[in-house]
Amino acid sequence: MTENILYLAMRDGECEYASASKMKAENFVEQQYEQATNEVLNEWGIDDPSVEDIDEAAFQAGYDENYEVVKVDMSKKTEDDTIELPDGNEVEVSDILEKLK
């Protein structure tokens, strides 16, 4: 593995995205929240949202989509290993490598 430090976009204990760039991982999370906000607006039948509508939809989307970016050290890890995250969840290295591709 060429990168020892990776940033994971985690949602409800599952790795959704992995990158060597913290900015890319944060951008992925931001895109997911924007998409979730738009989905809420569509569910509410709002085609031309006001700023207030967008704020309320974003608030709701934040409850529906719970993402966080987590920094992990992949040093000395093999594909068969598991990494324990700060929140106590574990993620398989093989899952991280799959998301990294």
Side-chain angles (χ1 to χ4, degrees), residues 2-15:
T2 58
E3 300 293 336
N4 288 330
I5 302 298
L6 295 178
Y7 297 90
L8 311 180
M10 301 292 296
R11 183 180 73 158
D12 299 327
E14 298 292 323
C15 180

PDB file of all heavy atoms in Angstrom, residues 2-15:
ATOM      1  N   THR A   2       0.585   2.175  -0.855  1.00  0.00           N
ATOM      2  CA  THR A   2       1.417   3.365  -0.969  1.00  0.00           C
ATOM      3  C   THR A   2       1.051   4.430   0.061  1.00  0.00           C
ATOM      4  O   THR A   2       1.897   5.191   0.485  1.00  0.00           O
ATOM      5  CB  THR A   2       1.304   3.973  -2.374  1.00  0.00           C
ATOM      6  OG1 THR A   2      -0.057   4.293  -2.632  1.00  0.00           O
ATOM      7  CG2 THR A   2       1.813   3.019  -3.427  1.00  0.00           C
ATOM      8  N   GLU A   3      -0.207   4.517   0.443  1.00  0.00           N
ATOM      9  CA  GLU A   3      -0.642   5.523   1.410  1.00  0.00           C
ATOM     10  C   GLU A   3      -0.865   4.875   2.773  1.00  0.00           C
ATOM     11  O   GLU A   3      -1.590   3.894   2.879  1.00  0.00           O
ATOM     12  CB  GLU A   3      -1.955   6.176   0.951  1.00  0.00           C
ATOM     13  CG  GLU A   3      -1.878   6.884  -0.374  1.00  0.00           C
ATOM     14  CD  GLU A   3      -0.999   8.114  -0.346  1.00  0.00           C
ATOM     15  OE1 GLU A   3      -0.800   8.684   0.744  1.00  0.00           O
ATOM     16  OE2 GLU A   3      -0.508   8.498  -1.403  1.00  0.00           O
ATOM     17  N   ASN A   4      -0.243   5.433   3.808  1.00  0.00           N
ATOM     18  CA  ASN A   4      -0.440   4.897   5.149  1.00  0.00           C
ATOM     19  C   ASN A   4      -1.627   5.550   5.858  1.00  0.00           C
ATOM     20  O   ASN A   4      -2.306   4.908   6.639  1.00  0.00           O
ATOM     21  CB  ASN A   4       0.818   5.078   5.993  1.00  0.00           C
ATOM     22  CG  ASN A   4       1.915   4.141   5.548  1.00  0.00           C
ATOM     23  OD1 ASN A   4       1.653   3.051   5.061  1.00  0.00           O
ATOM     24  ND2 ASN A   4       3.149   4.562   5.702  1.00  0.00           N
ATOM     25  N   ILE A   5      -1.848   6.825   5.590  1.00  0.00           N
ATOM     26  CA  ILE A   5      -2.950   7.549   6.214  1.00  0.00           C
ATOM     27  C   ILE A   5      -4.067   7.711   5.200  1.00  0.00           C
ATOM     28  O   ILE A   5      -3.854   8.222   4.104  1.00  0.00           O
ATOM     29  CB  ILE A   5      -2.504   8.935   6.724  1.00  0.00           C
ATOM     30  CG1 ILE A   5      -1.357   8.811   7.724  1.00  0.00           C
ATOM     31  CG2 ILE A   5      -3.687   9.690   7.317  1.00  0.00           C
ATOM     32  CD1 ILE A   5      -1.696   8.040   8.996  1.00  0.00           C
ATOM     33  N   LEU A   6      -5.255   7.261   5.577  1.00  0.00           N
ATOM     34  CA  LEU A   6      -6.431   7.407   4.720  1.00  0.00           C
ATOM     35  C   LEU A   6      -7.545   8.072   5.503  1.00  0.00           C
ATOM     36  O   LEU A   6      -7.560   8.048   6.732  1.00  0.00           O
ATOM     37  CB  LEU A   6      -6.915   6.039   4.219  1.00  0.00           C
ATOM     38  CG  LEU A   6      -5.977   5.270   3.299  1.00  0.00           C
ATOM     39  CD1 LEU A   6      -6.590   3.916   2.953  1.00  0.00           C
ATOM     40  CD2 LEU A   6      -5.678   6.057   2.037  1.00  0.00           C
ATOM     41  N   TYR A   7      -8.470   8.643   4.765  1.00  0.00           N
ATOM     42  CA  TYR A   7      -9.641   9.286   5.358  1.00  0.00           C
ATOM     43  C   TYR A   7     -10.872   8.554   4.852  1.00  0.00           C
ATOM     44  O   TYR A   7     -11.052   8.384   3.650  1.00  0.00           O
ATOM     45  CB  TYR A   7      -9.674  10.772   4.987  1.00  0.00           C
ATOM     46  CG  TYR A   7      -8.479  11.498   5.553  1.00  0.00           C
ATOM     47  CD1 TYR A   7      -7.297  11.602   4.834  1.00  0.00           C
ATOM     48  CD2 TYR A   7      -8.528  12.033   6.838  1.00  0.00           C
ATOM     49  CE1 TYR A   7      -6.187  12.227   5.368  1.00  0.00           C
ATOM     50  CE2 TYR A   7      -7.414  12.653   7.380  1.00  0.00           C
ATOM     51  CZ  TYR A   7      -6.261  12.756   6.647  1.00  0.00           C
ATOM     52  OH  TYR A   7      -5.159  13.367   7.195  1.00  0.00           O
ATOM     53  N   LEU A   8     -11.676   8.105   5.793  1.00  0.00           N
ATOM     54  CA  LEU A   8     -12.868   7.333   5.462  1.00  0.00           C
ATOM     55  C   LEU A   8     -14.112   8.164   5.690  1.00  0.00           C
ATOM     56  O   LEU A   8     -14.226   8.845   6.714  1.00  0.00           O
ATOM     57  CB  LEU A   8     -12.956   6.086   6.341  1.00  0.00           C
ATOM     58  CG  LEU A   8     -11.724   5.212   6.457  1.00  0.00           C
ATOM     59  CD1 LEU A   8     -12.013   4.025   7.359  1.00  0.00           C
ATOM     60  CD2 LEU A   8     -11.238   4.772   5.098  1.00  0.00           C
ATOM     61  N   ALA A   9     -15.038   8.090   4.759  1.00  0.00           N
ATOM     62  CA  ALA A   9     -16.366   8.664   4.964  1.00  0.00           C
ATOM     63  C   ALA A   9     -17.223   7.525   5.475  1.00  0.00           C
ATOM     64  O   ALA A   9     -17.527   6.576   4.750  1.00  0.00           O
ATOM     65  CB  ALA A   9     -16.922   9.240   3.665  1.00  0.00           C
ATOM     66  N   MET A  10     -17.574   7.604   6.745  1.00  0.00           N
ATOM     67  CA  MET A  10     -18.329   6.548   7.406  1.00  0.00           C
ATOM     68  C   MET A  10     -19.787   6.978   7.565  1.00  0.00           C
ATOM     69  O   MET A  10     -20.067   8.131   7.891  1.00  0.00           O
ATOM     70  CB  MET A  10     -17.742   6.261   8.788  1.00  0.00           C
ATOM     71  CG  MET A  10     -16.290   5.826   8.777  1.00  0.00           C
ATOM     72  SD  MET A  10     -16.018   4.208   8.027  1.00  0.00           S
ATOM     73  CE  MET A  10     -16.929   3.158   9.155  1.00  0.00           C
ATOM     74  N   ARG A  11     -20.690   6.031   7.328  1.00  0.00           N
ATOM     75  CA  ARG A  11     -22.111   6.274   7.558  1.00  0.00           C
ATOM     76  C   ARG A  11     -22.668   5.094   8.321  1.00  0.00           C
ATOM     77  O   ARG A  11     -22.652   3.971   7.841  1.00  0.00           O
ATOM     78  CB  ARG A  11     -22.872   6.449   6.254  1.00  0.00           C
ATOM     79  CG  ARG A  11     -24.349   6.781   6.494  1.00  0.00           C
ATOM     80  CD  ARG A  11     -25.095   6.940   5.222  1.00  0.00           C
ATOM     81  NE  ARG A  11     -25.265   5.602   4.660  1.00  0.00           N
ATOM     82  CZ  ARG A  11     -26.194   5.279   3.788  1.00  0.00           C
ATOM     83  NH1 ARG A  11     -27.026   6.170   3.340  1.00  0.00           N
ATOM     84  NH2 ARG A  11     -26.280   4.053   3.335  1.00  0.00           N
ATOM     85  N   ASP A  12     -23.132   5.364   9.516  1.00  0.00           N
ATOM     86  CA  ASP A  12     -23.737   4.330  10.363  1.00  0.00           C
ATOM     87  C   ASP A  12     -22.844   3.097  10.480  1.00  0.00           C
ATOM     88  O   ASP A  12     -23.298   1.965  10.351  1.00  0.00           O
ATOM     89  CB  ASP A  12     -25.116   3.946   9.827  1.00  0.00           C
ATOM     90  CG  ASP A  12     -26.073   5.121   9.816  1.00  0.00           C
ATOM     91  OD1 ASP A  12     -25.960   5.990  10.707  1.00  0.00           O
ATOM     92  OD2 ASP A  12     -26.930   5.186   8.915  1.00  0.00           O
ATOM     93  N   GLY A  13     -21.546   3.318  10.701  1.00  0.00           N
ATOM     94  CA  GLY A  13     -20.615   2.223  10.916  1.00  0.00           C
ATOM     95  C   GLY A  13     -20.103   1.548   9.657  1.00  0.00           C
ATOM     96  O   GLY A  13     -19.327   0.604   9.740  1.00  0.00           O
ATOM     97  N   GLU A  14     -20.512   2.029   8.496  1.00  0.00           N
ATOM     98  CA  GLU A  14     -20.088   1.442   7.224  1.00  0.00           C
ATOM     99  C   GLU A  14     -19.189   2.422   6.470  1.00  0.00           C
ATOM    100  O   GLU A  14     -19.476   3.614   6.417  1.00  0.00           O
ATOM    101  CB  GLU A  14     -21.301   1.115   6.345  1.00  0.00           C
ATOM    102  CG  GLU A  14     -22.235   0.091   6.941  1.00  0.00           C
ATOM    103  CD  GLU A  14     -21.624  -1.301   7.018  1.00  0.00           C
ATOM    104  OE1 GLU A  14     -20.880  -1.676   6.094  1.00  0.00           O
ATOM    105  OE2 GLU A  14     -21.884  -1.989   8.015  1.00  0.00           O
ATOM    106  N   CYS A  15     -18.132   1.895   5.870  1.00  0.00           N
ATOM    107  CA  CYS A  15     -17.243   2.719   5.053  1.00  0.00           C
ATOM    108  C   CYS A  15     -17.893   2.948   3.699  1.00  0.00           C
ATOM    109  O   CYS A  15     -18.146   2.005   2.953  1.00  0.00           O
ATOM    110  CB  CYS A  15     -15.892   2.037   4.896  1.00  0.00           C
ATOM    111  SG  CYS A  15     -14.728   2.981   3.900  1.00  0.00           S
TER     112      CYS A  15
END
